[in-house]
Amino acid sequence: MNKLVIFGVGLIGGSVALALKQAQAVRHIVGIGRDGDHLQTALELGVIDEAQTSLASALDQADMVLIAAPVAQTFSILQSIAPHLSPDTIVTDAGSTKSDIVAYAETALGDRHHQFVPGHPIAGAEKSGVTAARADLFSKKNVVLTPFSNTKASDIGKVQAMWEACGAHVIKMTAAEHDRIFAAVSHLPHLLAFALVNELANRPNADQLFDFAASGFRDFSRIAGSHPEMWRDISLANQAALLDEIDAYQAQLSHVRELLQQQDGAGLQQLFERASHARNAWARHKKY
Amino acid sequence: MNKLVIFGVGLIGGSVALALKQAQAVRHIVGIGRDGDHLQTALELGVIDEAQTSLASALDQADMVLIAAPVAQTFSILQSIAPHLSPDTIVTDAGSTKSDIVAYAETALGDRHHQFVPGHPIAGAEKSGVTAARADLFSKKNVVLTPFSNTKASDIGKVQAMWEACGAHVIKMTAAEHDRIFAAVSHLPHLLAFALVNELANRPNADQLFDFAASGFRDFSRIAGSHPEMWRDISLANQAALLDEIDAYQAQLSHVRELLQQQDGAGLQQLFERASHARNAWARHKKY
């Protein structure tokens, strides 16, 4: 690839840039974003080759545009690039939800929405920002693409090739399927952790409770320390699937409560064994 | 202390032995338990000085008895030592629940129940068994004691001194207060994690779901890999407090669901911020 434009050169955008440079898979990387200081840092760190504020010059001759800015900005970014988008430029993103992004693209890009290939790299880190960017962030990690049915296979192939050059494993599915899966394995757990910590923090004896919280609480609640605005946006963007997951979980928890209420030791043990076995089997093969 | 008898020389019992030896706080440690092989290993590792199968000789002249066997065995152990318990011997335990242990002691020890000082060291590790025992397992960790009102202050002081010699910080409270606190910060999180993994594991697309589970799921679900029988026993032993916690949590989760249903972004963000702030503040000062 000759020219890549990255909106939002933070942990994700910066790590893609570093990985593609290391793989010599791109000649020129242009960074563009709201925060000039962050772009300057990215430039000084050699993560990008050019810091741009002009959309026209950034998009001129661009092979690909990667939107790695906060999801809340995706729609306005798509609207802003639409007038400058040449038929040969492919656009992709790195958002955690996909059905909403698909709708944004159709509205903002109109009959050129097929030039947009929605993506979701399943990778992250405790830290954020370009200073935390790493060339190996996506190594052996999953990247989900949810392309439109009318997108050329060759265009999808270019986005897939970009992520594979970053060392990632690419899987394709529909946006709806993606959102259902991540509502279950990511979005729901985050809401459950936020809910537990909020429940305890609101109690009169919160300080005493936290003083006795140990390693189990530490790991269970780690994701409750996640970015509030980001998770507000993800929750709202995936509302339908997430509501279904909350309902299924409430039913499951009510079942556990019933077993406990009935003092059904055998039933509790069987349920704990199924969970323990599944979790430990997952841990033996996990990529994360 | 001259003679300490440990029932169940595993991670907890073995670590107490190693810590007290390192602190030169005990002259002779006798290990007693169901599994002769484990006791032999403990003896060979120098964790204990004597492996006993005879309760009479084990308890003869004993200053203290530490019950560190699986909680399900506590009652039968208390019954078995009762006939051999001299008025000068103090008994303590390391169980995760205390109200049930208090009742066991009253039944099994009768009018000598005041010689029993219930305890709960807040420490553990991924591994179990005497080979995982470490002299520093309790360093700077909390140990809760829930003594009877008619136990001599000097007897409570001896148990406190034992744990302080292990480097632990000792807190006293009632058994009921202990059980309410740990239902909230430990037992509930375990049930929530078991419930999530069980919910996902039972679905037709479980393999696909687990394939996309990442680091958030990894940490959230770690405690779902815990020992099923142990958590069955803890759940049943702390049933009343745990049922209250499940009810409070379901109400909290229903509140989150309501905010999501109403697309109340401000409300969700405020709740996530409160949780995130509380969790990160805890993480800055946590001992675990």
Side-chain angles (χ1 to χ4, degrees):
Chain A
M1 164 162 58
N2 187 39
K3 183 179 181 181
L4 169 68
V5 178
I6 300 177
F7 278 81
V9 187
L11 172 69
I12 300 297
S15 295
V16 168
L18 290 173
L20 294 178
K21 281 172 174 287
Q22 192 177 71
Q24 301 187 320
V26 60
R27 284 201 191 70
H28 188 73
I29 300 180
V30 179
I32 186 160
R34 289 178 166 182
D35 189 327
D37 297 350
H38 286 175
L39 276 184
Q40 205 50 43
T41 308
L43 197 59
E44 285 156 11
L45 290 170
V47 173
I48 56 175
D49 306 301
E50 176 187 348
Q52 259 299 351
T53 51
S54 154
L55 279 165
S57 13
L59 286 166
D60 180 48
Q61 305 289 318
D63 298 294
M64 195 170 312
V65 175
L66 169 64
I67 302 172
V71 183
Q73 298 172 29
T74 305
F75 185 61
S76 57
I77 290 172
L78 285 168
Q79 283 181 307
S80 67
I81 63 177
H84 311 281
L85 191 62
S86 100
D88 308 324
T89 303
I90 302 163
V91 184
T92 187
D93 79 313
S96 308
T97 53
K98 296 267 79 57
S99 299
D100 59 322
I101 300 293
V102 161
Y104 291 164
E106 286 170 330
T107 308
L109 302 179
D111 57 13
R112 283 172 306 158
H113 67 265
H114 60 83
Q115 287 177 243
F116 179 74
V117 180
H120 177 202
I122 318 306
E126 293 298 298
K127 308 199 203 86
S128 64
V130 68
T131 52
R134 297 169 6 216
D136 69 345
L137 185 66
F138 307 106
S139 173
K140 299 186 170 57
K141 298 296 196 289
N142 289 326
V143 172
V144 178
L145 300 182
T146 64
F148 288 99
S149 53
N150 60 339
T151 295
K152 278 187 291 174
S154 57
D155 288 351
I156 300 169
K158 287 173 186 166
V159 177
Q160 174 162 359
M162 177 185 81
W163 284 114
E164 287 172 350
C166 296
H169 173 60
V170 174
I171 304 99
K172 291 168 216 148
M173 62 179 72
T174 67
E177 190 181 5
H178 167 281
D179 287 0
R180 281 194 302 271
I181 290 171
F182 287 91
V185 302
S186 172
H187 308 165
L188 175 66
H190 277 78
L191 255 57
L192 296 179
F194 280 129
L196 177 73
V197 177
N198 189 60
E199 169 61 27
L200 301 185
N202 286 343
R203 297 188 185 178
N205 65 332
D207 291 346
Q208 181 191 39
L209 291 173
F210 286 127
D211 188 45
F212 288 105
S215 59
F217 174 86
R218 178 197 64 213
D219 294 346
F220 180 95
S221 69
R222 185 182 64 78
I223 51 180
S226 302
H227 199 291
E229 292 81 359
M230 176 181 162
W231 282 94
R232 172 203 62 199
D233 296 339
I234 290 173
S235 303
L236 294 174
N238 201 16
Q239 185 203 30
L242 198 39
L243 286 173
D244 289 346
E245 287 300 331
I246 293 174
D247 293 342
Y249 186 79
Q250 288 273 35
Q252 175 72 223
L253 188 54
S254 296
H255 173 57
V256 174
R257 189 198 188 286
E258 181 65 14
L259 293 172
L260 182 58
Q261 172 84 64
Q262 301 300 326
Q263 299 195 292
D264 183 347
L268 283 172
Q269 183 176 341
Q270 191 178 40
L271 190 148
F272 295 168
E273 270 168 359
R274 217 182 293 119
S276 176
H277 176 273
R279 201 284 172 182
N280 293 330
W282 175 83
R284 280 192 295 278
H285 304 98
K286 67 179 159 65
K287 286 174 269 192
Y288 295 87
Chain B
M1 163 163 56
N2 186 39
K3 182 178 180 181
L4 169 68
V5 179
I6 301 177
F7 279 80
V9 188
L11 172 69
I12 300 296
S15 294
V16 168
L18 290 173
L20 293 179
K21 281 172 173 287
Q22 192 178 69
Q24 301 187 322
V26 61
R27 283 202 190 70
H28 188 74
I29 300 180
V30 180
I32 186 159
R34 289 178 168 182
D35 188 327
D37 297 351
H38 286 174
L39 276 184
Q40 206 50 43
T41 308
L43 197 59
E44 284 157 10
L45 290 170
V47 173
I48 56 175
D49 306 301
E50 177 187 347
Q52 259 298 350
T53 51
S54 153
L55 278 165
S57 16
L59 287 165
D60 179 49
Q61 305 289 317
D63 297 295
M64 194 170 315
V65 175
L66 169 64
I67 301 172
V71 184
Q73 298 173 28
T74 305
F75 185 61
S76 58
I77 289 173
L78 285 168
Q79 283 181 308
S80 67
I81 64 177
H84 312 281
L85 192 60
S86 98
D88 307 326
T89 304
I90 302 163
V91 184
T92 186
D93 78 313
S96 306
T97 53
K98 297 268 77 62
S99 300
D100 59 324
I101 301 292
V102 161
Y104 291 163
E106 286 170 330
T107 308
L109 302 179
D111 57 12
R112 284 173 304 157
H113 67 264
H114 60 83
Q115 288 177 242
F116 179 73
V117 180
H120 176 201
I122 319 306
E126 294 298 298
K127 308 199 202 86
S128 64
V130 68
T131 52
R134 295 168 8 215
D136 68 345
L137 185 65
F138 306 106
S139 173
K140 298 186 170 58
K141 297 296 195 288
N142 288 327
V143 172
V144 179
L145 299 182
T146 64
F148 288 99
S149 53
N150 60 340
T151 296
K152 276 187 291 172
S154 57
D155 288 352
I156 300 170
K158 287 173 186 165
V159 177
Q160 173 162 359
M162 176 186 81
W163 284 114
E164 287 172 350
C166 295
H169 173 61
V170 174
I171 304 99
K172 291 168 216 146
M173 62 179 70
T174 67
E177 190 181 5
H178 167 280
D179 287 359
R180 280 194 302 271
I181 291 172
F182 287 91
V185 302
S186 172
H187 309 166
L188 175 66
H190 277 77
L191 256 58
L192 296 178
F194 280 128
L196 177 73
V197 177
N198 189 61
E199 169 61 28
L200 301 185
N202 286 343
R203 298 190 185 177
N205 66 332
D207 291 347
Q208 181 191 38
L209 292 174
F210 286 127
D211 188 45
F212 288 105
S215 59
F217 174 86
R218 178 196 65 214
D219 294 346
F220 179 95
S221 68
R222 185 182 64 78
I223 51 181
S226 302
H227 199 290
E229 292 80 359
M230 175 180 161
W231 281 94
R232 172 204 63 198
D233 295 339
I234 290 173
S235 302
L236 294 173
N238 202 16
Q239 186 202 29
L242 198 39
L243 286 173
D244 289 345
E245 287 299 331
I246 293 173
D247 293 342
Y249 185 79
Q250 291 208 302
Q252 175 72 223
L253 188 55
S254 297
H255 173 58
V256 174
R257 189 198 189 286
E258 181 65 14
L259 293 172
L260 182 58
Q261 172 84 65
Q262 301 299 325
Q263 300 195 294
D264 184 349
L268 283 172
Q269 183 176 341
Q270 191 178 41
L271 190 148
F272 294 168
E273 270 167 0
R274 215 181 294 119
S276 175
H277 175 272
R279 201 284 171 183
N280 293 330
W282 175 82
R284 279 192 295 276
H285 304 97
K286 68 178 159 65
K287 286 173 269 191
Y288 295 87

